[in-house]
Amino acid sequence: MARARATVERALRATRARLPDLFAAHTPLVVAFSGGQDSTCLVHALAGQGLDLLAVHVDHALRPDSATDAQRALALAASMGVAAEVVRVDVAGYRQ
């Protein structure tokens, strides 16, 4: 776990050096948030950076339980103290 944390912190330092305006205090930042391991790690790492962070989960409504996944993503973001929204897109409806 310590190695993973060090890797994430190193990546954040490198990104902060390349994009200093992005990491200015209270910069609004929207992050795509599936609720999976990768996006959860990203949101968790960014949560402590002093940004106005918004995690957005897109529910494509392709599976019957997709709304449950969306609610889980909202709860996960809330547990990290991050504002979150769900955008539902009726992908199947676009096929017609």
Side-chain angles (χ1 to χ4, degrees):
M1 185 67 120
R3 191 169 129 183
R5 180 180 298 275
T7 299
V8 170
E9 289 172 356
R10 189 171 42 256
L12 281 173
R13 280 193 304 275
T15 303
R16 190 179 295 112
R18 284 191 313 268
L19 303 167
D21 292 343
L22 178 68
F23 285 90
H26 305 293
T27 297
L29 183 63
V30 178
V31 177
F33 184 55
S34 68
Q37 290 178 350
D38 294 340
S39 64
T40 298
C41 179
L42 177 62
V43 168
H44 184 264
L46 291 172
Q49 302 300 312
L51 305 168
D52 289 337
L53 191 60
L54 176 63
V56 177
H57 178 87
V58 178
D59 177 0
H60 294 96
L62 293 173
R63 293 178 291 107
D65 60 342
S66 67
T68 301
D69 289 345
Q71 291 304 309
R72 187 182 67 77
L74 286 175
L76 185 55
S79 75
M80 293 184 281
V82 173
E85 293 181 9
V86 171
V87 176
R88 186 174 174 94
V89 178
D90 184 7
V91 174
Y94 286 112
R95 291 183 197 164
Q96 300 175 1

